[in-house]
């Protein structure tokens, strides 16, 4: 194929392995910081507000993620409890 010989088009390569380098997206660190701040702010309501509401003949019950983890742990479903805790509370 033809190679472009424009001076405006320049391929940057790694000095060690000669692989093609890609330029960073503009303001990528600012975007990342904004997402971290938003995630930190939303982390608290996500774990405090009820995630499920169960209606039955006996009444209505609202559960948060942590109360669901505790319920599964007390009912003997340790694996389910640990998976929910790790995926919803610990890792994020």
């Amino acid at each position: 194929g033809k190679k472009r010989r424009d001076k405006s088009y320049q391929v940057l390569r790694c000095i060690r392995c000669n692989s093609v380098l890609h330029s960073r997206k503009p303001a990528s660190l600012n975007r990342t910081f904004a997402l971290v701040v938003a995630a930190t702010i939303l982390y608290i309501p996500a774990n405090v507000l009820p995630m499920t509401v169960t209606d039955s003949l006996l009444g209505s019950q609202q559960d948060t993620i942590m109360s669901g983890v505790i319920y599964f742990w007390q009912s003997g479903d340790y694996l389910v409890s640990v998976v929910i805790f790790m995926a919803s509370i610990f890792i994020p």
Side-chain angles (χ1 to χ4, degrees), residues 1-11:
K2 293 183 180 179
K3 291 186 179 180
R4 293 180 65 175
R5 299 201 187 263
D6 278 345
K7 289 184 180 181
S8 62
Y9 180 77
Q10 184 178 13
V11 175

Side-chain angles (χ1 to χ4, degrees), residues 68-70 72-74 77-86:
V69 168
I70 293 169
F72 282 116
W73 187 267
Q74 289 176 343
D77 292 327
Y78 303 115
L79 180 63
V80 174
S81 177
V82 169
V83 168
I84 293 172
F85 178 78
M86 295 300 284

